[in-house]
Amino acid sequence: MTPLQNSVSLLLELLACLLFAALCAGLSCTAVTAYTHRLIILDDSLSMQAETKAGTPFHRLAADRVGRLIAENERSVYTVIRSGRHPKVIAGPCASADEARAAVTAWVPRSPEDHFAAALESARQFRDSVHETVYVTDHLPADPPPGVRVIAVGTPVPNLGIVSASRAAESADGAEGETVF
């Protein structure tokens, strides 16, 4: 054998030993993608359609805040749930940032009341993979669940409404007609 053939064989043996040592140390040839799974629960109550003094509905403010959250975490995956009597997944599970952003942008609250507990319960199936839970609402809950980040976009406003009404066949001055009090 010539010295050149011996050196190629030696180099191949050294390369095989190096590869074996790397594999024993935990080197992997598969692509491992680390991601963070974020669960976003949207308050789907009609109160989210109320407007600020500037005329912006609370759900648009919420969509903007969630859009910023998604922009800061583009590599995350998302599950977006609309709360309400019957919670509904509107993006995901494990939707991309673009899919989650589109779902939140298209969202219009329609439920008569918020059912955050029901939405959180329906998300139980994702709980093992979820790294962060975000609840977006128009008010700060009195006792938010532990481990849930709350984003409140509303501002307190007085509720105005008709408390009672009565009807009389004639007016107070005795003339005929109808008066509503």
Side-chain angles (χ1 to χ4, degrees):
M1 254 192 216
T2 66
L4 185 60
Q5 287 175 334
N6 287 339
S7 63
V8 171
S9 174
L10 178 63
L11 287 176
L12 288 175
E13 287 178 33
L14 288 174
L15 183 61
C17 288
L18 182 63
L19 185 59
F20 181 71
L23 288 173
C24 288
L27 179 68
S28 173
C29 295
T30 60
V32 176
T33 305
Y35 66 89
T36 301
H37 185 183
R38 288 184 163 77
L39 172 67
I40 298 173
I41 299 175
L42 302 171
D43 177 349
D44 199 49
S45 65
L46 288 173
S47 66
M48 289 293 284
Q49 288 192 20
E51 296 180 349
T52 64
K53 289 181 182 178
T56 306
F58 291 153
H59 74 279
R60 288 295 103 219
L61 293 175
D64 290 345
R65 291 284 299 274
V66 171
R68 286 197 302 262
L69 172 77
I70 292 171
E72 293 168 4
N73 302 284
E74 285 285 333
R75 293 180 184 233
S76 295
V77 294
Y78 296 88
T79 300
V80 182
I81 298 178
R82 235 178 34 197
S83 72
R85 187 164 296 159
H86 304 287
K88 182 178 180 188
V89 175
I90 60 172
C94 296
S96 69
D98 290 336
E99 293 168 327
R101 191 178 296 110
V104 172
T105 301
W107 161 66
V108 177
R110 292 188 176 96
S111 183
E113 56 190 352
D114 179 35
H115 289 273
F116 172 70
L120 196 58
E121 182 62 31
S122 73
R124 181 178 295 263
Q125 60 188 321
F126 312 118
R127 216 170 262 158
D128 290 340
S129 67
V130 170
H131 297 91
E132 181 182 27
T133 300
V134 179
Y135 175 48
V136 183
T137 183
D138 58 350
H139 64 282
L140 282 172
D143 191 22
V148 175
R149 178 177 163 192
V150 177
I151 297 176
V153 295
T155 55
V157 294
N159 285 334
L160 300 175
I162 299 173
V163 177
S164 70
S166 62
R167 188 173 175 177
E170 54 184 62
S171 65
D173 61 1
E176 284 198 29
E178 187 174 49
T179 306
V180 178
F181 300 97

